[in-house]
Amino acid sequence: MTDRTGKIVGVDVGGTFTDLFILDEQTGSCEVAKVPTTRSDQSLGIREGVAQNVASLADLQVIVHGTTVATNALLEKNGAKTGMIVTQGFRDVFEMRRRDRPRTWGLWGTYEPVIPRDMRIEVEERVLADGTLHTPVDRQGIEDAVELLLEKGAVALSIFFMNAYANLENERIAAEIARAKWPNPHVSVASEILPEIREFERCSTTALNAYLQPTVGYYLERLDTGLRDGGFENDILIVQSSGGVMSTDTARRLPVRTALSGPAAGVIAGAFIGTTSGHPNLITCDMGGTSFDVSLIVEGQSSLAQQTSIDFGMVIRSPMIEITTIGAGGGSIAWVDKGGILQIGPESAGSEPGPACYGLGNDRPTVTDANLLLGRINPDRPIGGDDGTLDQKLAARSIESHVAAPLGLDVLPAAEAIVQVANARMAGAIRLVSIERGHDPANFALMPFGGGGALHAGALIAEIGLARALIPRFPGVISALGCTIADMRFDRVQTLNVGLDQLDTRALSTMISELAKAGGDNLAKSGVPLGESRHQFELDMHYVGQTHAIAVSLPVSANGSDFTIDIMAIQDAFERTYRTAYGRLLENTPIRVLNVRSAAIGDRPKFDLKRLFGGTNNSTNPAPIDHRDVWIGGQHWSTPIFDRADLGAGTRLNGPAIIEQPDTTILIDPHLAGEVDEFGNLILEPIENG
C-alpha cells in the first residue's frame, strides 16, 4: 500500500451543477460544494470548483471524477468520425444489431449507426468458431483500408474480425499494421476490448470505444493539464460504470467503460451509507437537473449488469451498475401535447439557460419552476449557494402560459400538476427496478439524492408503498462522495463456450490464475493508496438452446495462486442462481458455460460516516428559522422552515416541514415524520394513523 495521506476530492458533473466532496483523511473532516456546470467544457467547472474550495492543489492526494462526457457524446452523437475494418462479408453486423427496431410495433423507425456504411471497410481474413485459422489476414488489404479511412477523414479506428475471441492472431497482425500507419493512438481492437463470444456485442462495444476515444481523451487531457498548471501533482482517477475506479490512462484506452460513471458513484455511496446506518435494502434515486436515475441495492450490494444500451442500438458489453434513467430532473421541461396531456421531459433546460426562474432566457416551465411557485423552494436560498435569487414571477408566467392556460387551470393547481406528473414518472421507474423484478417495495427504503430528490420523497413513499425514505446528510453531493470511496477495479473476460460436462477444470484453473495475476499487476501499477485486494470470478451460463445467460459466482478454493474447481459445485451454483431468477429449473437439459469473468478489486479507504455529522448542533428541539405558505394537496399549509445544520441526532419533526441546506431542500409532507439518526441521516416514515 502506498503511504500517502492528504485531501481526497470527489467530483461529479451533472447537467446543472458540478458537485465536490472534499475529504481530509488526516482529520476526518469534510467539505461540500456546488458550482455551475460549464457545458461547453466541463473541465473548466471542475478546475474552478477545486480552486475555489481547496487552498492549495499541491495538498491534494487524489481527485476522483465521475464524468458524463462519454454518455453525452453517445446521446448527442457527437463523438469522433470513426472508421472500421471488418472481416469480408460482415460489415453490416454493426447496423443489423439483433434484428430489433426502434419501435416495437410496426416496421418503421430509423436507426443511424455512429459509423456509416461507407466507413466500414472489409478485408479478407477468416477464423472459424473453434479458433482454426482458415484464411490469414490480407496485410496489403489492411494498409489500403487504413489509407482509405484516413482519406475519408477518420480520426479513430476500430478493428473487428469474426471469431477473434477464439483466435486473436489475425486481429493482432491487423492491429500492428494499422497502428504503424495511424497518426494517433485512437485504435480499438475487438480482441483487446472484449474477447468474448457474440459478434454484434463485441463489434458494437469496440466501435463505440473508438468513437469515444478522441472526445474523452481530449477532455481528460484538458482537465489534467489545467489541474497540473494550478499545482496539482498526484493522481486523477475516473469512476467506471461498474462502480470501480481506473487511471486516466486506462480511461483514455477504454472510454466506453466511463458511460454512466457519475450515477454509478451515487449508487456506491448509497450502498455504503445504507449499510452503515442499518438500511441495507435501498432504492436509490438521483434527481439532478436533467435526469432521474434509479438503482436497486439488496443486502448492501448493487446489481451489476454485463450489458446495457445507452440509446437504441448503442449496445455496450461491459460491467455496469444497473441504473434506470428517465428525463425527469429539476430542469425537465413541462409541456402539453396535441392531445391535451401534460408531459414532463425528456428535454431539459439544464444549467444554460436553466429553469425560467433563473431569468437567463428560458420561458418554458420546469419542475424546479413548479416547486418554486408552490413554496417548496426558497427563492432567496437557491441550491448551490448562489448569492442570487430565483424569480417567482417568471416561474408563474411560464407555467401560466404553457400549462395553466392550455389546461384551463389556475396557476397553483397547474404547478402542482407538473410535480404530480413528474412524481408519476419517477414512480414508474422505481416500480421497474423493484416490483417488476420480484421485490416488494415495502421491504425497501428510498434514498433520494441529487439536488431535487428530497423534495419528492414523501410523494414517492405514498405512491409506491415504500417503508421509509433515508435522506443522507449531504444528498446534493452523494455522487461526489461516492467517488471518494469507490474501489479500484479491473475487469477481464474470456470465452470458454463448452458444455459443463466437457469443462476442463485444470485449464479453467490456469485461466483464472492468469486473470487474477493480470488484475493484481494492474492494481500494483496504479500507484493509488489501496488496502486489501481481492478477486471475484463469475461464469456466464445457460441451458443449451437458450440465448441469454446468467452470471453465476464461480465457487473456487485458492491455495496461493492455485485454484481448485469442482464441476458439481458449479452445477449447484448455477441451479441456485437460475431458480432464484426464474423460479424453476429445466430438468434433463444440458448446461453450457459461455464465459469466465474476473474482477480484481483494490479496497480504497472509507471514512467514518459520523464525521459528516460531526459539526452539527446537538439540539433535538430546534427552532424554525422561518415560516411560509406551501401548497400541498390542493391547499396552503403554514409550514415551518428549518436549517439542517440545526438538527441534532434524535430530532423529530412532524410534517408539514421544510428543511433547507446549501445542496438541497427537503419536504416533509403532512402525512410523514422525520427523525435524525446518529449518522445525521433524516429518516422519513408515515405517521401512524396520520
Side-chain angles (χ1 to χ4, degrees), residues 27-102:
T27 65
S29 63
C30 63
E31 302 173 57
V32 299
K34 279 180 172 285
V35 297
T37 292
T38 49
R39 281 189 152 186
S40 59
D41 182 354
Q42 293 182 6
S43 68
L44 293 177
I46 294 174
R47 284 149 46 189
E48 291 170 4
V50 172
Q52 290 171 15
N53 292 279
V54 176
S56 171
L57 268 66
D59 293 337
L60 295 183
Q61 176 198 132
V62 64
I63 294 174
V64 191
H65 177 23
T67 173
T68 57
V69 170
T71 308
N72 292 343
L74 293 176
L75 291 175
E76 298 168 11
K77 293 192 175 180
N78 61 5
K81 188 169 185 178
T82 304
M84 179 185 288
I85 299 176
V86 304
T87 304
Q88 191 171 52
F90 290 93
R91 73 170 173 173
D92 292 322
V93 165
F94 184 53
E95 192 162 350
M96 292 171 66
R97 307 177 309 282
R98 287 294 174 192
R99 298 175 63 189
D100 51 352
R101 51 184 184 267

Side-chain angles (χ1 to χ4, degrees), residues 301-448:
Q301 298 296 317
S302 56
S303 300
L304 204 64
Q306 297 302 331
Q307 180 174 309
T308 194
S309 295
I310 299 299
D311 198 358
F312 177 78
M314 291 188 180
V315 173
I316 296 174
R317 183 81 174 164
S318 179
M320 291 190 174
I321 290 178
E322 287 190 288
I323 297 171
T324 297
T325 301
I326 61 171
S332 294
I333 292 171
W335 53 287
V336 178
D337 66 18
K338 294 179 180 179
I341 305 298
L342 178 60
Q343 305 283 356
I344 302 294
E347 186 180 0
S348 172
S351 59
E352 300 172 7
C357 59
Y358 281 20
L360 298 177
N362 172 44
D363 66 350
R364 293 182 293 171
T366 67
V367 176
T368 294
D369 292 308
N371 277 316
L372 174 67
L373 195 61
L374 294 170
R376 303 176 184 192
I377 296 176
N378 187 341
D380 298 321
R381 295 184 69 183
I383 292 172
D386 195 332
D387 294 332
T389 60
L390 303 179
D391 194 323
Q392 290 176 300
K393 291 182 179 179
L394 289 177
R397 189 182 306 162
S398 68
I399 293 171
E400 170 66 35
S401 174
H402 293 277
V403 176
L407 296 179
L409 297 174
D410 291 335
V411 68
L412 285 175
E416 188 162 47
I418 292 172
V419 172
Q420 288 171 338
V421 172
N423 288 337
R425 293 202 64 208
M426 296 176 202
I430 292 171
R431 290 189 183 99
L432 189 66
V433 303
S434 58
I435 296 173
E436 294 193 22
R437 296 182 186 175
H439 297 283
D440 183 354
N443 298 326
F444 287 79
L446 182 77
M447 181 184 282

Side-chain angles (χ1 to χ4, degrees), residues 41 43-44 47 65 67 69 184-186 212-229 236 238 248-249 251-252:
D41 182 354
S43 68
L44 293 177
R47 284 149 46 189
H65 177 23
T67 173
V69 170
N184 59 51
H186 307 317
L212 293 171
Q213 270 190 303
T215 301
V216 173
Y218 180 47
Y219 166 73
L220 292 176
E221 182 181 350
R222 294 196 308 272
L223 177 63
D224 185 74
T225 300
L227 289 170
R228 298 200 185 285
D229 287 347
I236 302 174
I238 305 300
T248 52
D249 287 342
R252 288 187 181 99

Side-chain angles (χ1 to χ4, degrees), residues 540-552:
D540 291 339
M541 302 176 67
H542 64 186
Y543 285 112
V544 172
Q546 293 180 328
T547 299
H548 300 287
I550 59 173
V552 178

